[in-house]
Amino acid sequence: MDVIQVKNWLDLFTIKINEEKAYLSDLDSAIGDGDHGMNMARGTTEMMVALREKDPQTVVDVFKLAGMTLVSKVGGASGPLYGSAFIGMAKAAMSSDELVTILKAGLEGIQKRGKAEVGEKTMVDMWAGAIEALENQQLAERIVEISEGSKDKIATKGRASYLGERSIGHLDPGTISSRYLFETMLEAGVTS
Ligand code: ADP
Ligand code: MG
């Protein structure tokens, strides 16, 4: 991956999130407080402004600035979680240019911050599933199926966990915004 591709990736992600803002908030209305689209749209737009203003020149600096902006500008749980992911990715990118290694560090950042394990109906499931599929060269074909898997799960972390079994049958909003992150990654040609 090079810095141009990564910037393009984050541009495409910001556009996609803003296009799907209402849908993401609808998903969050069913099992949370209805602000996920708003949180992510605000965060990614601020991220884009910061990237334009500071114009970082390395992959490490792009991820670092993206992460710091998301942590500081988003009120909901998702800002610090995505922010921790990008900060983890920045650290990994200092010593590796391997996509899988970098994404694993991102997932680790999310789990350090949010303490969720795989299977708790959070974005962690999407990240873990996407990384595994990427390792098997099956990300593009399996990505939707992986995200749909969140429907059958019971939420045991985050706001949706207050609903217990009533969270079954609903997609997890953070899983869907994370799916957009990985879809736009592929679209930008970041594949290794
Ligand atoms: P809030 O829950 O504060 O309203 P958002 O609505 O923006 O924040 O984000 C909700 C999403 O965050 C969930 O759909 C879930 O994927 C993710 N999430 C919540 N708590 C955790 C956690 N502890 N670990 C990982 N992801 C989490
Ligand atoms: Mg919410």
Side-chain angles (χ1 to χ4, degrees):
M1 80 178 77
D2 64 41
V3 67
I4 310 261
Q5 284 176 321
V6 171
K7 282 181 176 173
N8 189 27
W9 171 15
L10 298 184
D11 272 348
L12 293 172
F13 179 53
T14 302
I15 292 167
K16 182 69 179 172
I17 289 289
N18 278 274
E19 280 171 0
E20 302 296 339
K21 178 174 150 177
Y23 173 57
L24 291 171
S25 284
D26 283 350
L27 293 177
D28 196 29
S29 295
I31 56 170
D33 57 356
D35 64 355
H36 188 61
M38 174 74 89
N39 288 339
M40 291 302 297
R42 182 183 309 140
T44 52
T45 302
E46 293 277 1
M47 170 180 85
M48 208 34 61
V49 169
L51 288 171
R52 292 281 185 281
E53 276 175 0
K54 304 226 164 84
D55 198 25
Q57 295 299 314
T58 66
V59 170
V60 170
D61 288 343
V62 169
F63 285 147
K64 199 196 268 178
L65 183 59
M68 308 263 276
T69 310
L70 290 170
V71 167
S72 65
K73 301 285 183 181
V74 182
S78 54
L81 290 164
Y82 272 98
S84 301
F86 280 118
I87 290 167
M89 287 160 69
K91 281 188 193 143
M94 286 176 187
S95 56
S96 171
D97 59 2
E98 258 278 314
L99 181 60
V100 166
T101 305
I102 291 171
L103 292 179
K104 279 184 178 169
L107 172 58
E108 227 170 82
I110 295 173
Q111 291 191 284
K112 250 187 216 154
R113 171 71 75 145
K115 313 280 179 229
E117 298 296 333
V118 171
E120 296 197 274
K121 199 183 177 97
T122 71
M123 61 174 77
V124 165
D125 300 355
M126 184 71 234
W127 278 72
I131 291 167
E132 194 195 337
L134 187 65
E135 285 182 303
N136 295 319
Q137 272 111 41
Q138 292 179 331
L139 181 56
E141 50 274 43
R142 293 207 44 229
I143 193 161
V144 171
E145 168 204 330
I146 294 167
S147 69
E148 295 283 328
S150 78
K151 226 176 203 173
D152 305 329
K153 291 177 185 156
I154 300 179
T156 49
K157 279 282 181 325
R159 236 176 254 281
S161 65
Y162 305 149
L163 288 183
E165 292 200 348
R166 282 183 295 134
S167 64
I168 296 176
H170 299 281
L171 287 168
D172 170 56
T175 292
I176 302 302
S177 60
S178 296
R179 186 182 102 202
Y180 298 154
L181 181 70
F182 297 117
E183 282 174 341
T184 52
M185 178 185 87
L186 295 178
E187 231 181 288
V190 180
T191 52
S192 62

